[in-house]
Amino acid sequence: MPQLPTYFLSHGGGPWPWMQEFGTAYDELAQSLTQLSSDLTSRPQALLVVTAHWEEPSFSVSSAAFPSMIYDYYGFPDYTYQIQYPAPGDPQLAQSVVERLQSAGIEARTDSSRGFDHGTFTPLAVSFPKADIPVVQLSLNSNLDTALHYRAGQALQGLRDQGVLIIGSGLSYHNLRRFDKSAQEPSRQFDDWLYQTLALSESARYQALQHWQSAPSARIAHPREEHLMPLWVALGAASNAKAHCIYRQNDLFGGISASSYRFDG
């Protein structure tokens, strides 16, 4: 079985794939997510999604056989609270994830009650609309330590050889107080830095990312870094793989820059 890539995806805002109200704002993101599955050389046996919308004191892994839905957004139309993404879970994979993390000296546990949040079901509904591939979610550690999340990714790298597609789901820009034209310049500055940094060699990009807060407009782009943190897991699992930008838009909602990446090759 060929080794699968890893991904860092900008998952967009709320339940956007179901909302005609957004018009064409998300057309480019939708196209990139649709293309994701067709670009894979083999069908994944399972999806492991590192979601920016779940934080715990230690890494937690969803282990329900049939996960519920979590509508973790506010102020959207009533119908968006009835959305279903009926993919099965994979308790066996969940346990394997925990064991791999623990073997690397990283505290982890399963959570049989956790459902799919929109960091998971929103992008997957576009990339894998049939919902016929098992999905397991991995939380962030609430300490948001970059090195720890990179180590977690390294511990999970072997899953790529077993048909598990590892997806970090966040946003390359996440400042809800500046999600308008005022974000045009700071989001562009940070996105340009991220694009250039991810093109570096593994050691160079790791060192640069360790100091991401010094990047241009970093704290405007990410007042709190939880939506950037899945990137570190995806990179750790990718080892020295090259970064390929699969989505880059500089006019989201009139001027916001955002991007997504695949790591392989």
Side-chain angles (χ1 to χ4, degrees):
M1 180 177 295
Q3 188 180 67
L4 289 171
T6 72
Y7 286 87
F8 172 69
L9 301 180
S10 287
H11 60 230
W16 62 265
W18 292 269
M19 296 183 62
Q20 294 183 356
E21 293 91 333
F22 283 135
T24 62
Y26 281 111
D27 281 3
E28 291 183 52
L29 178 56
Q31 182 179 1
S32 72
L33 291 172
T34 300
Q35 187 68 31
L36 185 158
S37 57
S38 61
D39 283 344
L40 296 173
T41 57
S42 60
R43 173 185 165 88
Q45 299 299 305
L47 310 175
L48 176 60
V49 181
V50 187
T51 171
H53 288 269
W54 186 18
E55 298 178 39
E56 296 288 348
S58 61
F59 286 106
S60 297
V61 187
S62 63
S63 60
F66 300 98
S68 59
M69 300 289 289
I70 299 175
Y71 305 111
D72 53 339
Y73 39 76
Y74 306 95
F76 287 88
D78 290 346
Y79 67 86
T80 64
Y81 299 90
Q82 307 299 321
I83 290 167
Q84 294 294 313
Y85 187 74
D90 189 333
Q92 185 175 354
L93 173 59
Q95 186 60 40
S96 177
V97 170
V98 167
E99 290 173 358
R100 286 172 181 269
L101 292 172
Q102 290 177 340
S103 293
I106 299 171
E107 187 177 351
R109 66 180 184 89
T110 57
D111 185 333
S112 61
S113 66
R114 180 71 184 187
F116 295 147
D117 60 57
H118 88 265
T120 296
F121 69 75
T122 289
L124 295 191
V126 183
S127 294
F128 303 96
K130 293 182 179 179
D132 57 353
I133 300 176
V135 178
V136 168
Q137 292 179 131
L138 174 63
S139 79
L140 303 179
N141 186 298
S142 55
N143 66 14
L144 300 182
D145 179 79
T146 55
L148 176 63
H149 286 77
Y150 190 85
R151 282 180 53 217
Q154 289 178 313
L156 301 174
Q157 181 179 351
L159 293 173
R160 297 171 57 201
D161 298 311
Q162 299 179 9
V164 178
L165 185 66
I166 299 174
I167 298 172
S169 177
L171 278 170
S172 62
Y173 175 89
H174 191 256
N175 184 340
L176 297 182
R177 294 186 177 182
R178 293 184 65 170
F179 209 73
D180 53 29
K181 290 184 179 180
S182 72
Q184 183 171 5
E185 186 60 19
S187 68
R188 183 196 61 78
Q189 290 178 352
F190 184 78
D191 201 69
D192 285 350
W193 175 87
L194 185 64
Y195 180 85
Q196 294 163 9
T197 298
L198 291 178
L200 300 173
S201 66
E202 179 189 16
S203 59
R205 74 186 178 196
Y206 178 82
Q207 291 301 320
L209 286 165
Q210 284 294 302
H211 304 286
W212 73 271
Q213 296 180 48
S214 300
S217 299
R219 277 303 184 189
I220 298 176
H222 294 279
R224 190 173 183 274
E225 58 264 39
E226 82 287 343
H227 272 70
L228 193 61
M229 200 55 51
L231 171 63
W232 270 266
V233 183
L235 280 171
S239 184
N240 62 349
K242 295 180 181 179
H244 306 272
C245 185
I246 62 169
Y247 161 70
R248 199 172 188 206
Q249 183 173 359
N250 61 13
D251 61 350
L252 184 62
F253 288 112
I256 293 172
S257 295
S259 53
S260 299
Y261 297 86
R262 183 185 74 248
F263 304 98
D264 63 1

